Amino acid sequence: MPSDKMKAYIIPVEMIMVGQKTRRLTEVASPVTLADIARLAGVSPVTVSRAINTPSLVKPKTLEAIERVIARTGYVPNLLAGGLASRRTRLVAAIVPSVSSTIFAEAIEGLNAELVAAGYQLLLGLSGYDHKREMELTRAILARRPDGIILTGITHLKETRAMLSGAGLPVVEIWDSTPSPLDTAVGFSHYDVGALVAEHLMAKGYSRYAQIGANDPRAIQRRDGFIKRLSGVAKVELPDVEMNSPSTFSDGRRALSQLLGRGSGSLAVFGSSDVVAHGALTEAIARGCRVPQDVAIIGFGDFDFAPHTYPPLTTVRIDRRMIGTKAAQSILRKISGETVEPMIEIDFQIVARQSA
């Protein structure tokens, strides 16, 4: 049997007291309020507010009493209520194109881990590489008053930019490098990635060069850097294969098949992702091409399968999780009122394996 002291904190699971009325939790009724919690715990509303926002300032026994009542009633604090000491929601929102790709999933994991450790929750929206969808998500998210927002890329509709400017919230853009971020950016130059890949392949002296990839802004930047660096050395071939983002394994196979049918000579190919590069590699092997003598292939992302393809895939490595970690650290510092450098660069490198 529980002691009398413990009984003071026990509330029957099936019913709670609100004011002078008893109601069952299964009945339709108004939400439990902060004032209800205060009455049930035998403390003032100010003490409940302090327990929610700054629990370290509340006596352990009092905090325990409040937490027991909250747990029993299922009370969810209204963090926008004017009576609370803090106006913060302790929510940070992030809009990413997709979670199906490892390249974004690992960044989200790093972001979430850092936020949770700081007592924040992550609200996630998926834009599907659609700027209009990003705008709609931004509007819906800002209505929920997050403490900060993280966007993928640096290309946004003017309506999105206007909403973010008007909201006055900390903003971090990820996956790109820019001299003029909306607020702060964490990323790298995709253009420079393309140029680095071109240099790697040029040093090996192939007679033909090609790029296959998706049509999202970052993939296009990598393609442009690749083409520009090869300017004056060779014309870069682009297959007539429509590739939406994210591009697929089958896109890579179809694209390389088309390129091989256009001419002869050794061919060096830059894929916009490891997935499409893997498709191209599979097609080359299926056609009896020698890799990397006849066909060389470089991907992007260094996915977990890249070392295990046949032959192992040469690719560009970025610390994807670090992007999320740095983004979270930046936005938490900005929420706290600290100054954060406008551009945080993330390193990248070519991981040379047997495919190129």
Side-chain angles (χ1 to χ4, degrees):
M1 292 291 291
S3 67
D4 291 340
K5 185 176 182 181
M6 289 179 64
K7 286 180 180 177
Y9 305 133
I10 295 176
I11 301 173
V13 174
E14 72 277 4
M15 60 181 63
I16 58 173
M17 295 293 296
V18 180
Q20 300 301 313
K21 297 180 180 180
T22 301
R23 75 181 186 201
R24 295 187 179 277
L25 295 179
T26 54
E27 294 177 355
V28 177
S30 58
V32 180
T33 67
L34 183 144
D36 296 333
I37 300 301
R39 283 194 294 271
L40 291 167
V43 298
S44 70
V46 172
T47 301
V48 176
S49 176
R50 188 175 295 119
I52 293 168
N53 291 283
T54 53
S56 61
L57 300 181
V58 180
K59 293 179 180 179
K61 289 184 178 180
T62 303
L63 182 62
E64 181 185 1
I66 294 169
E67 289 176 342
R68 283 175 183 251
V69 172
I70 289 174
R72 292 289 187 180
T73 60
Y75 172 67
V76 177
N78 176 6
L79 297 181
L80 295 180
L84 293 180
S86 172
R87 301 285 291 189
R88 292 181 181 173
T89 60
R90 302 198 76 80
L91 281 176
V92 170
I95 299 177
V96 298
S98 169
V99 293
S100 61
S101 171
T102 303
I103 205 161
F104 294 115
E106 290 187 14
I108 294 167
E109 288 174 0
L111 173 63
N112 186 62
E114 203 73 16
L115 291 175
V116 169
Y120 280 77
Q121 299 299 324
L122 176 62
L123 178 63
L124 192 63
L126 306 181
S127 65
Y129 298 91
D130 186 327
H131 291 314
K132 184 178 179 182
R133 177 62 180 153
E134 181 190 66
M135 177 193 69
E136 293 167 347
L137 282 167
T138 300
R139 180 181 288 114
I141 286 169
L142 291 178
R144 287 155 177 79
R145 301 297 190 269
D147 292 340
I149 187 166
I150 295 169
L151 303 176
T152 302
I154 57 175
T155 306
H156 318 285
L157 296 179
K158 62 180 181 181
E159 293 87 350
T160 303
R161 291 175 174 271
M163 282 189 288
L164 292 169
S165 176
L169 295 174
V171 178
V172 174
E173 296 165 288
I174 58 174
W175 280 103
D176 269 301
S177 177
T178 175
S180 55
L182 290 173
D183 193 356
T184 293
V186 177
F188 56 95
S189 170
H190 291 263
Y191 186 93
D192 288 349
V193 166
L196 181 64
V197 171
E199 290 176 1
H200 181 85
L201 293 172
M202 284 165 56
K204 298 181 181 296
Y206 291 91
S207 57
R208 298 170 60 199
Y209 296 86
Q211 195 274 343
I212 57 177
N215 56 8
D216 69 87
R218 287 167 296 283
I220 291 172
Q221 288 178 46
R222 295 194 292 274
R223 180 198 67 192
D224 290 348
F226 184 70
I227 292 173
K228 181 65 175 179
R229 184 64 186 86
L230 282 161
S231 177
V233 175
K235 181 180 179 180
V236 176
E237 300 179 45
L238 303 174
D240 300 323
V241 175
E242 181 67 24
M243 293 190 194
N244 295 320
S245 296
S247 51
T248 65
F249 180 88
S250 60
D251 287 335
R253 291 202 67 164
R254 289 188 297 115
L256 189 73
S257 176
Q258 187 180 102
L259 290 168
L260 291 174
R262 285 184 180 176
S264 59
S266 59
L267 174 65
V269 178
F270 175 33
S272 65
S273 73
D274 280 357
V275 173
V276 73
H278 187 200
L281 180 60
T282 300
E283 182 67 18
I285 296 299
R287 286 172 168 262
C289 298
R290 296 176 304 158
V291 178
Q293 294 89 342
D294 300 329
V295 177
I297 298 171
I298 295 184
F300 172 81
D302 195 24
F303 289 6
D304 57 359
F305 64 79
H308 307 293
T309 59
Y310 179 75
L313 183 65
T314 296
T315 185
V316 179
R317 176 183 292 166
I318 310 99
D319 192 335
R320 300 182 291 271
R321 188 179 180 92
M322 182 59 68
I323 290 177
T325 299
K326 290 290 187 182
Q329 291 172 347
S330 297
I331 209 155
L332 289 170
R333 287 175 59 195
K334 294 179 78 67
I335 290 170
S336 299
E338 298 179 41
T339 300
V340 178
E341 54 269 40
M343 183 66 235
I344 300 169
E345 295 282 352
I346 302 294
D347 293 336
F348 56 85
Q349 60 183 11
I350 289 180
V351 180
R353 300 190 179 103
Q354 284 74 27
S355 73

